[in-house]
Amino acid sequence: MKSTIYSGQHVAHQCSMSESSFDDVNLQNAIFNNVNLQASRYSNINLMQGNFYDVNLSHSQFSIVNLGGAVFSNIVTLTTTPLGISKNAPISFKDSDLSASTFNNVDMSNVVLENCQISGLIINGIDIEALLKGDISKPELQKVGWRTQNETGSTNKVSKGHYMAKGSDKTLCGVDVPSAEKVAEMSTQIGTSACKRCLGIKKNY
């Protein structure tokens, strides 16, 4: 594949870049918006502070890539087959340094960690390394739901029925429990429906 982009700032508008290859490229502070990069390959790339919004990166490969300062939100792992059928295509992380990263309100059901360094790994307030070593016991779970109130004092919203570890400020699925001044009522009986993500985590708790 012949190189067609040279050094300097570039703007690509309304382009299809599927199956592209990027090698030894500096893309620091680059902005990708509504871009199809399916099956692209990135090797020795600097993507620090890059901004990806509404981008298709399914089946792409990243190797020796600097993602320092990157923020990922609203990520899905769906891909489309040649027949137009959507299916799940899980992401794989190999030989990567994700230390000090934060995952908030992320569905990690059926995630597998193998040969990973978990020192300091905290999930919903629980030190996983200490838990696996038997240094601490699993905290007791409690069911909870709440009604929040607006500034006028009237009920604003009713939560789902969640599960959480006693003493934690988050539910098992990662939802922040509102502060006392924002809660009109909280009990085990409140909840519009059972939180499926909490139930899924609770099964393997």
Side-chain angles (χ1 to χ4, degrees):
M1 183 180 295
K2 183 180 179 181
S3 177
T4 56
I5 300 178
Y6 304 96
S7 296
Q9 294 180 328
H10 296 269
V11 176
H13 181 62
Q14 294 183 341
C15 298
S16 176
M17 300 177 67
S18 60
E19 300 186 39
S20 297
S21 177
F22 297 84
D23 179 55
D24 194 15
V25 176
N26 181 12
L27 290 173
Q28 184 171 352
N29 295 318
I31 298 174
F32 297 83
N33 181 34
N34 191 23
V35 180
N36 178 16
L37 293 173
Q38 183 177 5
S40 299
R41 295 174 296 279
Y42 304 82
S43 176
N44 193 22
I45 302 296
N46 179 16
L47 283 170
M48 278 192 67
Q49 307 300 329
N51 189 323
F52 292 79
Y53 180 79
D54 193 16
V55 176
N56 180 7
L57 286 169
S58 59
H59 298 293
S60 294
Q61 299 178 17
F62 294 82
S63 176
I64 319 178
V65 175
N66 182 4
L67 287 171
V71 176
F72 297 88
S73 63
N74 300 314
I75 304 297
V76 297
T77 58
L78 293 177
T79 187
T80 304
T81 68
L83 297 178
I85 301 174
S86 295
K87 67 175 184 178
N88 189 40
I91 299 172
S92 295
F93 294 91
K94 298 179 180 178
D95 302 318
S96 303
D97 183 357
L98 296 175
S99 58
S101 297
T102 299
F103 296 85
N104 183 30
N105 199 25
V106 176
D107 184 353
M108 302 188 74
S109 56
N110 300 317
V111 169
V112 177
L113 302 179
E114 294 182 346
N115 302 318
C116 295
Q117 171 60 258
I118 62 168
S119 177
L121 176 62
I122 304 296
I123 299 179
N124 291 342
I126 302 171
D127 187 327
I128 301 303
E129 183 181 30
L131 181 63
L132 293 177
K133 288 180 178 179
D135 295 339
I136 60 175
S137 58
K138 292 182 180 179
E140 183 181 348
L141 294 182
Q142 61 182 8
K143 185 180 178 182
V144 65
W146 55 83
R147 303 176 192 273
T148 54
Q149 57 187 17
N150 56 29
E151 296 178 353
T152 64
S154 60
T155 300
N156 185 33
K157 184 178 180 181
V158 179
S159 74
K160 289 187 176 182
H162 293 279
Y163 282 90
M164 61 185 294
K166 283 190 175 181
S168 176
D169 58 358
K170 291 181 180 289
T171 65
L172 290 182
C173 66
V175 173
D176 290 312
V177 178
S179 57
E181 59 269 17
K182 294 183 178 180
V183 176
E185 184 182 2
M186 179 180 292
S187 76
T188 60
Q189 305 302 318
I190 297 177
T192 56
S193 61
C195 174
K196 293 182 179 179
R197 292 176 62 190
C198 278
L199 290 176
I201 297 172
K202 180 176 178 289
K203 289 180 181 178
N204 299 311
Y205 192 78

